[in-house]
Amino acid sequence: MTTQEAYTAAGGVLTRDDGKLFLVLERPGRPEMRLPKGHVEAGETTAQTAVREVQEETGYAEVEIAADLGSITHSFYNAARDTEVTRTESYYLMRLTGESHYDRPQLAHENFRRRWIDRDEAERLLTYEVEREFARRAKAILMNNTSGATRA
């Protein structure tokens, strides 16, 4: 019998320097490229979760929130668990402010390979449509914040 599950997750679209690169994650052995995110724990705000999850999954300690990218609620079927899942995902545009390593232990499921990609490639490379939407939102904010005669 199919069960129902609902939860909230939060994550980040992490950029560096001029905002032209986004960090995506690849999990060895899985054909997916994704943004860092995870479950909101009891007592956490979505912003706190986003910072923690980006730190845990990327290994970078020095990240800061630059903008709120909003939330999307979607549903999907998890065949492995015979579960209908409704998940609300909140994302933030984040900046890498330093290269120091996040020194807390990573869980086995957080063993990702980091890959910096051109922000213009994110929509093509990200596996999940919800994450592609947040990449589009982040890119729009970054492009609107670009000053001068040429746009990034």
Side-chain angles (χ1 to χ4, degrees):
M1 178 177 187
T2 302
T3 59
Q4 304 285 322
E5 178 183 351
Y7 67 93
T8 302
V13 178
L14 184 62
T15 66
R16 65 181 347 160
D17 302 328
D18 61 7
K20 292 183 180 180
L21 297 176
F22 289 168
L23 183 75
V24 295
L25 303 172
E26 295 177 282
R27 186 179 305 179
R30 275 194 161 168
E32 67 181 33
M33 195 167 300
R34 53 178 292 258
L35 297 172
K37 76 165 180 306
H39 286 76
V40 175
E41 302 292 338
E44 280 184 327
T45 65
T46 56
Q48 290 167 328
T49 298
V51 169
R52 176 181 54 77
E53 288 291 340
V54 167
Q55 290 171 326
E56 288 175 356
E57 293 187 353
T58 68
Y60 288 120
E62 298 174 72
V63 299
E64 68 180 16
I65 292 176
D68 186 338
L69 298 174
S71 299
I72 295 175
T73 300
H74 63 108
S75 297
F76 58 93
Y77 178 68
N78 182 327
R81 294 181 20 226
D82 190 25
T83 304
E84 283 290 333
V85 179
T86 300
R87 178 169 61 207
T88 299
E89 296 184 26
S90 298
Y91 275 86
Y92 296 85
L93 175 60
M94 302 174 117
R95 285 191 194 97
L96 183 66
T97 59
E99 299 280 331
S100 64
H101 182 72
Y102 186 65
D103 62 1
R104 295 182 65 194
Q106 285 186 301
L107 302 174
H109 72 276
E110 295 171 337
N111 188 18
F112 298 108
R113 200 172 350 203
R114 297 182 296 211
R115 182 170 167 195
W116 288 100
I117 62 170
D118 185 288
R119 71 180 184 207
D120 293 330
E121 292 294 305
E123 196 168 348
R124 182 178 67 80
L125 294 174
L126 286 165
T127 302
Y128 302 106
E129 174 54 34
V130 168
E131 294 182 1
R132 289 192 292 267
E133 172 58 25
F134 287 113
R136 286 189 289 269
R137 292 179 187 187
K139 180 180 171 182
I141 288 171
L142 291 164
M143 291 178 71
N144 286 337
N145 289 340
T146 302
S147 60
T150 60
R151 294 186 88 71

